[in-house]
Amino acid sequence: MPNTLEIRDLHVSVGDGADDLTEILKGVDLTVSSGETHAIMGPNGSGKSTLAYSIAGHPKYTVTSGEILLDGADVLAMTVDERARAGLFLAMQYPVEVPGVSVSNFLRTAATAMRGEAPKLRTWVKEVNGAMAALDMDKAFAERSLNEGFSGGEKKRHEILQLELLRPKIAILDETDSGLDVDALRVVSEGVNRVRETGIGTLLITHYTRILRYIKPDFVHVFFDGRIAESGGPELADHLEAEGYTRFGVNETASA
Amino acid sequence: MTLIDDRPHSHGAGSTGSPAERFTSRNPEDFAQPSGRDEDWRFTPIRALRPLFEAFEPTTRITGDVEAPDEVSWSILPRSDERVGRASQPADRVSALAWAGAPQAFVLQIPAGAQIAAPVLVHGTVEPGQAYEHMVIEAGAGSRATVVVDYAGAATVAENVEIIVGDGAALTFVSLQDWALGAVHLSAHDACLGRDATLKHVVVNLGGELVRLSTTVRYDAPGGQVELLGVSFAGPKQHFESRLYIDHSMPQCASNVLYKNALLGDTSRTVWIGDVRIRPAATGTNTYEMNRNLLLSPGARADSVPNLEIETGEIAGAGHASATGRFDDLQLFYLQSRGIDAEQAQRLVIRGFFADVVARIGLPDLQQRIMTAIEARLGFAAAEPELETTS
Ligand SMILES: Nc1ncnc2c1ncn2[C@@H]1O[C@H](COP(=O)(O)OP(=O)(O)O)[C@@H](O)[C@H]1O
Ligand SMILES: [Mg+2]
């Protein structure tokens, strides 16, 4: 069954108290369905991560109005873990360190939660080792403490490893390309493409166009000042590559 | 863990006010009545301890059930026996009263050269009342053994424990306070290390109303190494206090301290004092102390006071750190964003918090017992066995 994530007129604020809220997202409308890849491109501070985190249910952000629906179900009424189990996955720009929890224990706990039962040990070991090898990750990685002391590249590989193992319906990738050298970018992009080929919907958030050489979007949206300012096909990315974000009054290039 | 307090202290700064030289005496009258203003007692709820500050007639005693191979000998001896009193140097009034008042001593000896793989288990239980206790654990020269003493029941106990590690011996000693509600336990552990001796000293506080355990380490010869580990889980109305004094007086000795406390409930309380002294003769000393506290409730309070006095420039290393923090929302968010429910996520974070110190204990059954006990206290279902690794 194809799946659809619908975001309707989403307004999101950040801040500590009710009086001290700053509006970051100012009415976002976006629909992502199975088999589609949407690229969201925008300058720093335009609210891309805020959108990603709001979909995942990050405690720092408050949705003040609007809707997020997954196959018609109200995502905003779900807890963070319910959203994940419903089929949403966020590869984070800044994965969080959890000292003392090994990657292998974490992955198996997460897979057990997502699949509703513990995967059979023998096939699980094969599955994890295979996925790690495909991402050029050393086996010893599994015994390390979750995200602790990981290099930027290791963190991103580990996020995509989870994407492969947890099999979401809709994946949101927040600046998965940042901090990666060319080789790592290729390996990570291939991982994303393997998952895309299974037919999931993908929301690819990026500041720069270079990842789009590996992951071809069907739709490109330019994000600016908390909303989508322009939408189009892949050719929109080419415009940004050439012109940067100057058209939106920001002196940032999109081609680094 | 979100840090609310991270304090690496400057070395040699007398931050506790603990005097570098300890006053010790076996005569209780040499110690004044403790008051809340005394450096030694200011973190302790002394009101509840008043009855312990005067000599009392014991009304109960700990009875021990010992599981040990035949080569290990143990006996109840009069305090006057020559095997008793070689290490104890009472440093406070309660310890001196216990020394004077203990009717007898439990003495457990690992013979010289014995290599004992399975842990020697001493299960202590007590009927309600007041008790003075004295225990001697001696590891003969070149021996290797693990001794686990666990305490159950509820009573008021003042105790001295002597831990004597002979030349070249390696002893792991675990004191597991699994007391029932209402127990009050004040204990002074005095450890002496011979030449090239190794001691792993582990304190686990799970049960009881008030446990104050003062551990003193002395080196009788060069080459001694001590690892001091502590795990406490303090719930509502529990006070767990650990007071360490490591007296480096000999060359080429080492001490390594890791104490971790988790606190749940607004009236839970832990205290950690880590005094390390490096005397002029203690060249080549290597010492490190770390205390971490995880506050699981807003009103929980953890005091942490490391203190290092360095009297020689020729040391190999000296450091300490102390950090107190709360549950980290972002850690829970990350775990939950992978489908793991809130309870399981908290369990992972707490397991992770204790993982390094529990692993260093090196006794799988005990490690599992500790984690199961902690998770039960958190209201979680029985712990699953540790998940297999993927490699
Ligand atoms: N805690 C906060 N308080 C106030 N403003 C914040 C907070 N966190 C983020 N912001 C602001 O929100 C805006 C959007 O941030 P973000 O979503 O991270 O942008 P992007 O991912 O596009 O770079 C930025 O202007 C940032 O400064
Ligand atoms: Mg961002």
Side-chain angles (χ1 to χ4, degrees), chain A residues 48-49 93 174-175:
Chain A
K48 305 183 298 296
S49 290
Q93 185 173 1
D174 190 6
E175 297 214 17

Side-chain angles (χ1 to χ4, degrees), chain A residues 57-58 80-81 84-85 89-90 92 96-97 99-101 104-106 109-110 113-114 124-125 129 142-143 147 159 162 166, chain B residues 1 328-342 344 348-349 351-353 355-356 386-391:
Chain A
H58 192 295
V80 173
D81 50 299
R85 291 197 300 274
F89 178 88
L90 169 60
M92 296 189 200
V96 184
E97 296 183 4
V101 175
S104 74
N105 187 6
F106 162 70
T109 305
M114 292 295 291
W124 172 246
V125 170
N129 287 347
E143 299 320 311
N147 291 320
E159 294 293 289
Q162 296 171 56
L166 300 181
Chain B
M1 166 165 102
D328 189 332
D329 279 354
L330 295 186
Q331 291 182 348
L332 297 177
F333 167 69
Y334 186 79
L335 296 170
Q336 285 183 257
S337 77
R338 274 45 176 153
I340 298 167
D341 68 33
Q344 182 80 358
L348 278 174
V349 171
R351 262 190 180 249
F353 173 73
D356 54 349
E386 197 58 40
L387 295 163
E388 288 95 330
T389 62
T390 51
S391 55

Side-chain angles (χ1 to χ4, degrees), chain A residues 60 76 113-114 131 142 168 174-175 216 234 238:
Chain A
K60 195 173 97 175
L76 294 175
M114 292 295 291
D174 190 6
E175 297 214 17
K216 297 285 177 208
D238 300 333

